[in-house]
Amino acid sequence: MLGHRVTENYDVVIVGGGIVGAACAAELSGARLRILVIDAGRVGCGTTGASMGHIVVMDDSEALLNLTAFSRELWLRLAKDSASACEYLPCGTLWVAADAEEMDVVYQKAKNYEEHDIAVEVLDHKSLYQYEPNLAQGLAGGLRVVGDCVIYPPNCAALLLQGIEVRENCNVCQISDNLVSLENGSEIRAEFIVNAAGAAAPKLTAELPVEPRKGHLVITARYPGFCQHQIVELGYLKSVQKMEKESVAFNIQPRPSGQYLIGSSREFAGWDDSINRNLVNRMLTRACDYMPALKEMFAIRTWFGYRPAPMLSCPPPRLASGDAGAGESKNGGDKLPIIGNWPKVKGLYIAAGHEGLGITTSLGTARLLAAEILGQPPPIDPAPYRPSRLFRENK
Amino acid sequence: MTRIVVVGAGPAGIAAACRAAESGAMVTLLDGEPYPGGGIWRHSIDYSVPRPVRNSKEAKNMREKTKISNGARKAKRWFNRLDKVGVSLRTSETVVDITGRSVQVQREQGELDSIAFDKLILATGAHELFLPFPGWTLPNVMGVGGAQALLKAGMPVNPASPRGGVKRLRVVVGGSGPLLFAVAASLAKAGAKIVCVAEQTSGMQLAKFALGILRYQPAKMVQGMGYMLQYFPAPYWPNTWVKEARGDSQVREVVLTNGKRQWIEPADLVACAYGLVPSVELAALAGCKQENGRLVVDNLQRTSIEGFFAAGEITGIGGTDLAITEGEIAGLAAAGKAKETADYTDYTEKEKKQKLKSVKSVVNKLIARRERQQKFARLLNQSFALKPHLKQLPADDTIVCRCEDVTFGELKNQADQRSAKLYTRCGMGPCQGRVCSSALQYLLDWEPNKVRPPLFPTKIGAFISNTESLKRKAKK
Ligand SMILES: Cc1cc2nc3c(=O)[nH]c(=O)nc-3n(C[C@H](O)[C@H](O)[C@H](O)COP(=O)(O)OP(=O)(O)OC[C@H]3O[C@@H](n4cnc5c(N)ncnc54)[C@H](O)[C@@H]3O)c2cc1C
Ligand SMILES: Cc1cc2nc3c(=O)[nH]c(=O)nc-3n(C[C@H](O)[C@H](O)[C@H](O)COP(=O)(O)OP(=O)(O)OC[C@H]3O[C@@H](n4cnc5c(N)ncnc54)[C@H](O)[C@@H]3O)c2cc1C
């Protein structure tokens, strides 16, 4: 094999078989293009396989609301056709307000959602406990977002990739003008290349401002009926201004198996691959503050994943909440994913930086990207997510 | 004083704890089970009664009646030694995590405690390899250890028949290894009718094994013959294995095969195990180096992590005597009593022998003994190596992961354990793959999955109170 280089040709090469890469491939597959998806490991083995699969509309900013709401619509459509493959659970989201101050946020949020035709229900103290009797006493109320749901991400990634050529256990070591170089020495030419390598995307596209932001999850044994919604605290708001290196927020998700996923933690620790026991304990303590009965339940496993966090120095952050929210970043930023043409490399498109919302926003991302590649009208305004916004300062 | 924590109170852990304490270390011996003794000695001493009663004549007589005397005598010696040296024995305390220089233990009631150590000895033993076959999920099909445990817990093997008289339970024992003898013997002794013992390895291998025993451990031969006599006249069939269990509300019959033909035997109970696999999960969690599913240790039982030792079946399956010797060496070494002994890892066989002769320390004697016992261990592992046929045991619709109801058909096309977990949930249930993972490592040649804390299901509240108590400790 010495000196012998294989060169293959495809129309589109997508680097990364996570939920984002898979969604992009599925979206482009209708267009009679020769598509290849490459993953260093197996489909969904990255952050996608470590995540919660909460499909949630977020209103941190207008742009985030547009992308998440549009994406949720696409998820509901997908889930309607393949509910069991997706392990679809239409549980809604319940944002919990601890006190009067947080109730004010509930009213603001409700108004914001309703203006965008997102169905919500404001819950007072009493109705909160009617929905979720296992919440701690003394909470003020909450906001129920009816259409939010839960899916099982790795299986969804596999589902999206059905019928598409996928090369697994294949490491890409470089992306240059219309060329993807593999670790085994061979090369692939492609008119379009999509970097959807998640938190590892900057390893292939220098200057891409994405960094890993580690998050832990704990799964419990089976306790069917303990809670009905994905429940997230609003209390995060208070600590948001603090630029903490580590933070936790209460977030619980019912699984169809009767188990519960408990989150969430955020931490800038690079690619550190050990369990941060202290942070996990803090996270569980937070969860038990909100649901004391959790104390009696058994945790059977802990793991973590790396959120692909955008590190932008753009407009100041607005308030964020819960896990699925992008949370505060030490770098501030607009906390939006990076979707679209990368002007510095020929044929390169980016679909990365989805932080803690990539499962939700993958489908919307794919629509935006496909529209750009195929020269079709964009489904929503693509400007807020464009890579070109990152270069503003240089001009 | 050196603080030594020993995890696992089987023969290896007990020997390690004794040696370490006798050398002046402060020793804590932990076991997740309510009684010490590990797989083999746990029931030799009735710990549920206070010590004076335990040592009473009646208690002794009762024990004598139910125990295999040779092993029990040895057990008693070690238990007495343990009583004498003042080891802090903590049972019903399971180690669920190791962080830095402390172990996190979970008590029966669910609370966590952390115990700091200077040296750690891992002696977590082994568990059975259970290979799934069609029908294995029927009631009354179980592991050999399960059958033994039920028996010791008082399972009736000759229940009264409705038509008067007693109906002896018909038992098929299957799988591989000398354990089958032992369990068949104790079942027969308790009154069950042994239909047959189906041993997968060939008659030729068994003959070699018998010769080897005569050479290395003649006493074991006597023990084996004793077992055989106990369940006589049931047949012992080499080159035979259980292909399928059939029944309705419970197992009624089994299909046996020798690879060429198959036949049916009646059975009310099936006890099956294909040998033992080292329980390395805790060591893996701590990051100790492993090879082929065993913990890697050096001449003094040191693992790849400074200050961490390992002894017993966790370093490879080799039987009780080897486990004891390894435990003794680990205990002495951890307590700093093996300093005078050079580390002979880099020496040739000949040089090693010379050194061993010249330095007549206890440790060296033990090391020489360990070498002899390891020969027997190698013979054991060769003689009962599993046939490739057994990889075909499960059918496509045979459930492999019982917690999540995942079938072999769903698993066989997955690339590895991690993919299986991601796409089928195999091994994600409460047992965390403790049963199916070993089976899949054998059936599909998969690497084990990464071990994540907690090692065993742990009460969430315990994490928290533990953090709080840690904080309090830190403040003091
Ligand atoms: C604990 C946690 C909980 C979360 N919960 C939610 C939630 O509830 N809802 C939500 O919407 N989002 C959630 N997220 C966020 C979400 O998981 C991520 O945003 C999303 O998975 C990102 O998908 P991706 O495809 O970009 O990345 P990945 O899934 O990481 O995919 C990238 C793929 O690229 C491959 N790759 C990398 N480098 C190379 C290379 N050089 N060559 C070839 N292949 C390569 C990797 O193997 C990987 O498979 C959570 C994240 C975490 C950590
Ligand atoms: C089910 C079974 C039946 C057996 N029957 C026989 C027999 O009849 N005859 C015979 O000669 N040999 C028998 N053996 C083999 C015999 O047990 C071993 O050869 C010998 O006991 C090995 O000793 P050990 O100390 O290495 O491990 P073990 O005796 O297995 O002891 C390990 C101990 O560690 C404890 N432990 C493990 N993990 C943790 C943790 N995380 N925290 C706290 N404690 C932990 C376990 O509870 C156990 O008590 C049997 C083995 C098994 C598994």
Side-chain angles (χ1 to χ4, degrees):
Chain A
M1 282 289 286
L2 256 181
H4 176 72
R5 278 195 173 179
V6 189
T7 306
E8 298 169 88
N9 285 289
Y10 280 88
D11 295 319
V12 184
V13 170
I14 296 174
V15 183
I19 194 75
V20 173
C24 291
E27 204 55 64
L28 288 164
S29 66
R32 291 170 171 263
L33 296 168
R34 277 197 72 208
I35 304 173
L36 175 69
V37 175
I38 304 179
D39 200 290
R42 302 258 301 159
V43 165
C45 73
T47 311
T48 298
S51 72
M52 262 188 162
H54 180 205
I55 305 302
V56 54
V57 177
M58 296 291 296
D59 69 338
D60 300 36
S61 65
E62 185 73 17
L64 195 61
L65 208 159
N66 287 339
L67 184 59
T68 49
F70 173 56
S71 298
R72 191 182 79 179
E73 217 179 285
L74 299 174
W75 273 111
L76 294 181
R77 246 179 269 165
L78 182 70
K80 215 166 119 199
D81 297 336
S82 3
S84 76
C86 295
E87 296 190 29
Y88 169 65
L89 190 72
C91 58
T93 306
L94 206 158
W95 296 91
V96 181
D99 50 27
E101 196 184 334
E102 287 181 11
M103 265 324 271
D104 289 342
V105 181
V106 164
Y107 293 120
Q108 274 168 37
K109 271 172 134 7
K111 189 160 157 272
N112 205 6
Y113 279 129
E114 274 160 359
E115 278 168 14
H116 288 82
D117 289 327
I118 305 293
V120 296
E121 180 186 353
V122 173
L123 307 179
D124 62 6
H125 173 83
K126 209 171 129 206
S127 43
L128 179 70
Y129 293 105
Q130 268 161 7
Y131 279 120
E132 295 294 351
N134 285 317
L135 279 167
Q137 288 307 304
L139 297 167
L143 182 71
R144 186 168 168 253
V145 186
V146 190
D148 288 352
C149 63
V150 164
I151 52 93
Y152 183 58
N155 282 358
C156 291
L159 178 75
L160 287 164
L161 284 172
Q162 256 172 25
I164 292 167
E165 191 180 341
V166 181
R167 207 167 289 173
E168 296 184 313
N169 301 317
C170 174
N171 204 19
V172 172
C173 56
Q174 201 189 330
I175 299 176
S176 45
D177 293 347
N178 296 111
L179 197 70
V180 173
S181 311
L182 305 181
E183 202 176 51
N184 63 17
S186 60
E187 295 180 330
I188 305 174
R189 299 213 147 268
E191 194 175 348
F192 305 105
I193 299 167
V194 180
N195 182 349
K203 291 184 184 167
L204 297 170
T205 305
E207 295 176 76
L208 192 62
V210 170
E211 64 181 329
R213 196 174 192 192
K214 205 165 123 191
H216 291 82
L217 289 177
V218 169
I219 188 151
T220 69
R222 297 182 187 200
Y223 305 92
F226 177 70
C227 76
Q228 316 300 325
H229 297 81
Q230 173 115 14
I231 309 177
V232 192
E233 66 162 302
L234 273 170
Y236 210 37
L237 296 168
K238 288 177 186 163
S239 63
V240 148
Q241 273 77 10
K242 291 185 223 147
M243 300 295 197
E244 282 173 297
K245 187 171 175 275
E246 298 181 346
S247 56
V248 297
F250 165 58
N251 187 340
I252 189 168
Q253 173 179 102
R255 299 293 316 155
S257 57
Q259 294 172 288
Y260 299 88
L261 277 175
I262 303 174
S264 64
S265 75
R266 288 189 144 72
E267 160 189 24
F268 292 104
W271 293 93
D272 173 75
D273 72 343
S274 61
I275 301 256
N276 183 338
R277 269 88 169 174
N278 266 332
L279 197 59
V280 169
N281 289 358
R282 268 181 66 194
M283 179 174 104
L284 291 174
T285 308
R286 190 74 184 160
C288 292
D289 287 346
Y290 277 85
M291 299 192 102
L294 282 174
K295 285 185 192 165
E296 293 305 310
M297 295 190 176
F298 281 85
I300 65 173
R301 193 172 62 254
T302 309
W303 70 90
F304 54 81
Y306 306 99
R307 298 181 187 87
M311 30 193 268
L312 309 180
S313 44
C314 287
R318 276 192 50 186
L319 299 182
S321 9
D323 175 43
E328 85 287 3
S329 149
K330 65 176 172 188
N331 302 303
D334 62 9
K335 295 177 292 173
L336 292 171
I338 304 162
I339 307 164
N341 180 248
W342 184 258
K344 296 194 171 183
V345 178
K346 236 160 119 190
L348 178 60
Y349 291 75
I350 306 291
H354 294 74
E355 221 271 4
L357 278 172
I359 307 301
T360 305
T361 52
S362 58
L363 297 188
T365 297
R367 277 285 167 97
L368 280 169
L369 199 81
E372 188 172 344
I373 287 178
L374 304 173
Q376 292 166 351
I380 57 172
D381 177 14
Y385 325 104
R386 283 221 166 105
S388 53
R389 78 189 195 275
L390 307 169
F391 299 107
R392 252 187 319 222
E393 282 173 44
N394 300 346
K395 279 178 188 167
Chain B
M1 218 192 229
T2 317
R3 292 167 306 173
I4 297 180
V5 165
V6 183
V7 188
I14 291 174
C18 288
R19 282 294 193 174
E22 287 158 3
S23 310
M26 197 169 95
V27 181
T28 309
L29 176 59
L30 299 166
D31 203 296
E33 297 289 330
Y35 306 111
I40 180 164
W41 290 349
R42 191 166 297 137
H43 302 274
S44 306
I45 297 234
D46 189 357
Y47 265 80
S48 54
V49 289
R51 202 185 299 169
V53 186
R54 234 194 275 156
N55 294 332
S56 72
K57 218 174 192 158
E58 292 78 12
K60 268 185 194 151
N61 284 345
M62 203 181 74
R63 238 179 284 140
E64 231 78 286
K65 249 196 281 169
T66 47
K67 285 325 141 216
I68 303 148
S69 50
N70 189 23
R73 261 202 301 280
K74 197 177 283 169
K76 212 154 63 185
R77 266 209 314 276
W78 279 103
F79 279 125
N80 285 341
R81 199 162 158 182
L82 192 68
D83 272 348
K84 245 187 253 143
V85 293
V87 166
S88 153
L89 172 65
R90 295 170 57 166
T91 53
S92 296
E93 300 208 12
T94 304
V95 178
V96 293
D97 200 1
I98 300 177
T99 51
R101 296 272 139 166
S102 63
V103 292
Q104 313 297 316
V105 297
Q106 172 167 232
R107 302 223 184 87
E108 229 173 352
Q109 298 80 6
E111 76 265 33
L112 283 181
D113 193 4
S114 74
I115 307 173
F117 59 79
D118 302 309
K119 300 279 161 63
L120 180 70
I121 302 175
L122 296 163
T124 51
H127 56 270
E128 317 183 311
L129 175 61
F130 190 96
L131 298 178
F133 51 83
W136 76 275
T137 49
L138 282 171
N140 277 11
V141 179
M142 58 188 79
V144 163
Q148 230 170 7
L150 275 182
L151 193 63
K152 284 168 178 170
M155 169 186 69
V157 288
N158 44 5
S161 136
R163 269 175 283 127
V166 289
K167 180 182 170 294
R168 289 171 73 197
L169 216 59
R170 293 164 304 177
V171 184
V172 169
V173 178
S176 196
L179 256 175
L180 303 189
F181 279 121
V183 76
S186 42
L187 283 163
K189 204 171 172 188
K193 178 177 173 6
I194 306 296
V195 176
C196 66
V197 177
E199 163 61 60
Q200 59 91 34
T201 206
S202 67
M204 179 73 109
Q205 287 293 348
L206 284 172
K208 277 193 205 156
F209 181 65
L211 283 176
I213 291 190
L214 278 177
R215 214 165 111 209
Y216 302 123
Q217 306 212 319
K220 279 237 155 55
M221 193 67 184
V222 179
Q223 193 185 13
M225 299 299 268
Y227 286 159
M228 266 189 148
L229 285 176
Q230 276 171 26
Y231 68 81
F232 190 78
Y236 180 84
W237 283 324
N239 201 25
T240 305
W241 58 96
V242 178
K243 191 170 180 264
E244 189 183 341
R246 294 177 183 162
D248 32 59
S249 60
Q250 67 151 86
V251 61
R252 300 288 175 199
E253 59 184 33
V254 296
V255 181
L256 293 167
T257 180
N258 56 12
K260 290 193 197 87
R261 63 180 194 96
Q262 58 182 57
W263 65 98
I264 291 173
E265 295 286 345
D268 307 307
L269 191 137
V270 179
C272 218
Y274 287 91
L276 299 172
V277 256
S279 302
V280 292
E281 292 83 3
L282 183 64
L285 189 65
C288 298
K289 194 174 161 217
Q290 310 172 29
E291 232 170 60
N292 301 325
R294 297 187 294 256
L295 223 59
V296 177
V297 288
D298 71 2
N299 204 34
L300 292 178
Q301 304 295 135
R302 291 179 291 207
T303 72
S304 63
I305 299 182
E306 167 69 35
F308 285 34
F309 298 73
E313 309 278 48
I314 181 179
T315 68
I317 305 306
T320 312
D321 295 336
L322 177 60
I324 293 172
T325 311
E326 289 187 359
E328 290 188 69
I329 296 170
L332 287 165
K337 286 292 162 191
K339 278 207 195 83
E340 72 270 32
T341 314
D343 181 351
Y344 299 136
T345 334
D346 298 332
Y347 287 58
T348 64
E349 283 297 316
K350 209 170 152 197
E351 284 170 327
K352 231 189 310 194
K353 271 200 187 119
Q354 275 169 355
K355 285 274 171 197
L356 289 177
K357 257 190 211 140
S358 62
V359 192
K360 280 221 163 73
S361 72
V362 186
V363 182
N364 281 341
K365 263 191 220 148
L366 288 168
I367 288 174
R369 185 188 299 167
R370 185 184 59 195
E371 299 233 316
R372 276 197 310 277
Q373 290 165 339
Q374 272 167 345
K375 280 192 194 135
F376 172 72
R378 274 194 291 276
L379 174 72
L380 186 82
N381 291 318
Q382 277 161 14
S383 309
F384 296 98
L386 296 187
K387 273 195 171 52
H389 296 70
L390 296 170
K391 296 201 189 220
Q392 264 88 56
L393 264 184
D396 275 3
D397 61 355
T398 305
I399 285 180
V400 175
C401 167
R402 220 172 173 169
C403 299
E404 297 287 336
D405 285 349
V406 188
T407 62
F408 188 64
E410 290 173 79
L411 290 167
K412 67 178 184 194
N413 296 323
Q414 299 292 343
D416 49 36
Q417 201 108 289
R418 161 112 170 113
S419 310
K421 199 163 172 171
L422 267 184
Y423 306 128
T424 69
R425 298 184 177 282
C426 178
M428 284 175 59
C431 96
Q432 288 291 288
R434 208 152 268 120
V435 180
C436 62
S437 170
S438 305
L440 287 166
Q441 281 167 47
Y442 170 74
L443 291 171
L444 297 169
D445 300 310
W446 284 353
E447 290 290 314
N449 235 323
K450 206 162 179 169
V451 184
R452 295 278 190 227
L455 196 58
F456 295 95
T458 300
K459 245 191 201 170
I460 289 174
F463 285 100
I464 299 168
S465 44
N466 194 40
T467 330
E468 281 163 0
S469 69
L470 282 180
K471 265 189 229 146
R472 254 181 278 125
K473 272 184 201 161
K475 262 186 207 149
K476 271 180 197 167

